[in-house]
Amino acid sequence: MLDIKFVRENIDTVKQSLINRGSSLDLEEMLSLDEQRRARIVEVEALKAERNNTSKEISEKKRAKEDASALIERMSQVSATIKELDASLAEIEETQHQWLLACPNLPHSSVPIGQSEEDNPEIRFWGTVKNFDFAPKEHWELGLALGGLDFERAARLTGSRFVVQTGWAARMERALAQFMLDLHVDEHGMIETIPPYMVNTKTMTGTGQLPKFAEDLFKQENWDYWLIPTAEVPLTNLHAGEVLDEAELPKGYCAFTPCFRSEAGSYGKDTKGLIRQHQFHKVEMVYFAHPDNSYEILEQMTAQAEKVLKRLELPFRTIALCTGDMGFSAAKTYDIEVWVPGQNTYREISSCSNCEDFQARRANIKFQPKDSGKKQFVHTLNGSGLAVGRALVAVIENYQQADGSLLVPKVLQPYMGGLEVIEALTSENL
RNA sequence: GGAGAGGUGGCCGAGUACGGCUGAAGGCGCUCGCCUGCUAAGCGAGUAUACGGUUUAUCCCGUAUCGCGGGUUCAAAUCCCGCCCUCUCCGCCA
């Protein structure tokens, strides 16, 4: 959420940001609401001041056993007016609040201006794209042939966009997750966390999923509980309403959780395989950072995500999202895309964002500067480190061999009982 | 799910039976100053947030906030209604 005062004092900046993001929000309407609101506040607060003063007089008169009925009579009318004004003020404030909740974050000045993913510049590339002397298969073909991925049974159990992973595919998913968590905890000093996988409306609003994107989420019937679309939601809201010590910053959390997404509006897209599921696993990183160095933390966190791919020896490229392609809450975002040879393309496997104080303002997360001064909003950052299901896709496709078997990446072997090659499913590797 | 107890400032804790003089006693903590071989103690001052007005900014002024929302009233921490959360006991359960 943007600060209303900031909007009022930086009209051109906000206007340009909305244009760059391709948003259709009406800024003029909001500004006129703001004027109405402030005028109404002046009006009603003058009356309240009068009421407070007169109430004191009344109590003094009553104690002195004097007659206060004239004052009471007048205040009765003043109170009635206050009630009306308060009601109309509340209405204006609610409309304005909804506007602010629907307004996307301001892009950082370094974010390239553009309309779509076509305009996202590549920042760096890492690795070597392997030349296969055979036509590399897609992961779902291999998963089917090797018996680890079962989309048919999942469809019977639930529906489309689900999978049953068995044997090596289940274990490799677990191995990937464990490898990633160990890396973030042991080498990056992050705090491992197991948060709730369901959160309430307030929490979803804190990070920006609500009120605008309810159709992307799964909701529990009869409960104010939503399934998390990413651990960013519970992790960032972990300190909602709190004041952190400046010395604690930056504070990093990581969590391995399932993520649930309705994938509304993606009909026909990525219908095969693991790429776009209603339920998938992700290791998420969240940082609470000092405003002075949050962009350094963004670089650091992005590097941490990249390190996962480097250790897995998977080629990737990192791109900067342009204004038109960036998520709602982000001020700046890097996407990391891993090479998937079966599809002969790059697929997003991580998204690392600095949300600055956008979420902190919604969720009310502050820190107390050491040398006194006022409490300030922290900057919040989140990044995938990494999407586990998609990492499995990348491993399967990049590590496939001509005979249809898979090599197990070196860093995963300790997590898979030393297994080096995955052959077709047998009782031995089950 | 049933029964009971409770939610007041950074923390502890008065106030709620009889509504007003309580942004809220007292204590602790913290900050600044004084004092002081050092430390501790002592003395003095200060110590919430948001919004609005004013302002270059500070200051200042106003309004709101005693879990949340609503009601009664000239006036609500205090009375009434609804909800949320925490704790204890019982039931159920991995």
Side-chain angles (χ1 to χ4, degrees):
Chain A
M1 188 162 65
L2 300 182
D3 180 10
I4 177 61
K5 268 187 257 176
F6 177 90
V7 176
R8 195 191 300 149
E9 287 159 16
N10 299 273
I11 296 171
D12 291 338
T13 312
V14 176
K15 199 178 285 178
Q16 193 57 49
S17 150
L18 289 174
I19 292 169
N20 290 342
R21 274 188 175 269
S23 167
S24 58
L25 276 182
D26 186 346
L27 180 59
E28 303 299 332
E29 184 200 344
M30 208 284 300
L31 291 170
S32 117
L33 275 172
D34 191 50
E35 268 183 52
Q36 289 175 45
R37 178 180 67 96
R38 285 183 292 152
R40 193 57 48 91
I41 285 172
V42 171
E43 197 179 349
V44 72
E45 287 192 352
L47 289 176
K48 283 182 181 174
E50 186 191 344
R51 183 177 67 183
N52 287 344
N53 289 329
T54 310
S55 285
K56 258 180 218 153
E57 269 182 61
I58 291 171
S59 84
E60 281 159 17
K61 285 205 182 221
K62 288 211 159 181
R63 249 174 291 135
K65 309 268 187 215
E66 290 173 32
D67 176 36
S69 57
L71 290 178
I72 289 174
E73 172 60 26
R74 204 172 84 231
M75 281 311 102
S76 155
Q77 282 166 27
V78 168
S79 279
T81 312
I82 287 173
K83 203 170 177 181
E84 281 170 30
L85 290 176
D86 265 344
S88 94
L89 178 61
E91 205 174 302
I92 294 170
E93 278 177 339
E94 178 57 21
T95 312
Q96 186 180 41
H97 188 62
Q98 287 306 318
W99 191 96
L100 286 167
L101 285 179
C103 180
N105 200 359
L106 231 49
H108 186 254
S109 59
S110 67
V111 172
I113 291 169
Q115 295 187 338
S116 71
E117 56 186 351
E118 315 281 300
D119 305 314
N120 298 336
E122 180 175 316
I123 303 295
R124 56 186 161 263
F125 172 85
W126 183 91
T128 316
V129 171
K130 208 194 285 179
N131 276 317
F132 291 90
D133 50 13
F134 58 95
K137 291 189 169 121
E138 298 205 39
H139 69 279
W140 54 267
E141 295 178 84
L142 291 157
L144 232 51
L146 292 167
L149 303 180
D150 188 338
F151 296 97
E152 256 182 56
R153 284 198 174 87
R156 250 186 281 144
L157 289 170
T158 311
S160 65
R161 294 203 189 283
F162 286 90
V163 68
V164 176
Q165 288 165 248
T166 50
W168 64 269
R171 183 157 193 186
M172 186 176 273
E173 178 111 359
R174 175 160 60 89
L176 280 164
Q178 205 164 333
F179 156 66
M180 291 178 199
L181 283 173
D182 283 350
L183 180 69
H184 296 316
V185 171
D186 295 338
E187 297 189 28
H188 303 146
M190 305 193 82
I191 304 163
E192 185 172 350
T193 309
I194 302 178
Y197 303 151
M198 292 182 239
V199 300
N200 59 32
T201 295
K202 189 178 178 194
T203 300
M204 279 294 183
T205 309
T207 28
Q209 279 72 25
L210 292 177
K212 268 199 85 175
F213 307 105
E215 74 273 15
D216 297 334
L217 303 169
F218 286 108
K219 171 116 197 287
Q220 301 299 302
E221 205 177 351
N222 299 326
W223 292 77
D224 181 32
Y225 291 173
W226 305 76
L227 291 174
I228 57 169
T230 158
E232 168 200 343
V233 176
L235 290 184
T236 305
N237 281 287
L238 209 54
H239 292 301
E242 296 182 17
V243 180
L244 303 174
D245 281 338
E246 188 175 33
E248 293 183 86
L249 306 177
K251 193 169 195 180
Y253 290 92
C254 63
F256 167 66
T257 72
C259 303
F260 303 92
R261 301 188 181 178
S262 76
E263 294 300 339
S266 63
Y267 303 108
K269 250 196 229 170
D270 304 314
T271 49
K272 285 214 152 155
L274 292 176
I275 290 290
R276 197 173 298 277
Q277 300 272 294
H278 285 311
Q279 172 192 313
F280 61 95
H281 291 122
K282 183 155 61 66
V283 170
E284 182 75 359
M285 304 179 282
V286 162
Y287 276 97
F288 298 88
H290 195 290
D292 290 350
N293 69 354
S294 65
Y295 279 92
E296 288 163 39
I297 303 297
L298 176 62
E299 298 301 324
Q300 176 197 315
M301 185 178 66
T302 308
Q304 289 171 188
E306 289 173 349
K307 200 197 272 184
V308 176
L309 290 171
K310 288 178 180 176
R311 294 282 172 90
L312 288 167
E313 299 178 76
L314 294 169
F316 66 87
R317 66 180 187 186
T318 302
I319 60 176
L321 296 196
C322 71
T323 51
D325 196 29
M326 231 174 14
F328 180 76
S329 299
K332 180 166 185 166
T333 300
Y334 292 116
D335 271 7
I336 302 170
E337 298 182 335
V338 67
W339 175 250
V340 276
Q343 297 180 24
N344 196 37
T345 186
Y346 292 92
R347 297 302 305 236
E348 179 187 337
I349 196 164
S350 173
S351 192
C352 299
S353 302
N354 184 359
C355 298
E356 297 192 5
D357 63 6
F358 186 84
Q359 295 176 325
R361 184 170 291 106
R362 285 172 165 245
N364 190 25
I365 311 165
K366 295 185 171 178
F367 72 97
Q368 177 68 61
K370 267 195 297 287
D371 39 330
S372 73
K374 296 193 95 175
K375 297 181 181 80
Q376 293 178 47
F377 289 116
V378 298
H379 281 192
T380 63
L381 299 93
N382 64 79
S384 346
L386 307 162
V388 181
R390 289 191 180 183
L392 183 67
V393 169
V395 168
I396 293 173
E397 295 199 11
N398 281 279
Y399 280 84
Q400 62 180 296
Q401 304 190 93
D403 65 359
S405 66
L406 305 179
L407 295 176
V408 177
K410 279 203 183 58
V411 289
L412 295 186
Q413 288 173 11
Y415 293 102
M416 297 188 67
L419 188 68
E420 292 175 17
V421 185
I422 292 157
E423 318 271 2
L425 195 63
T426 67
S427 56
E428 234 170 278
N429 57 30
L430 229 171

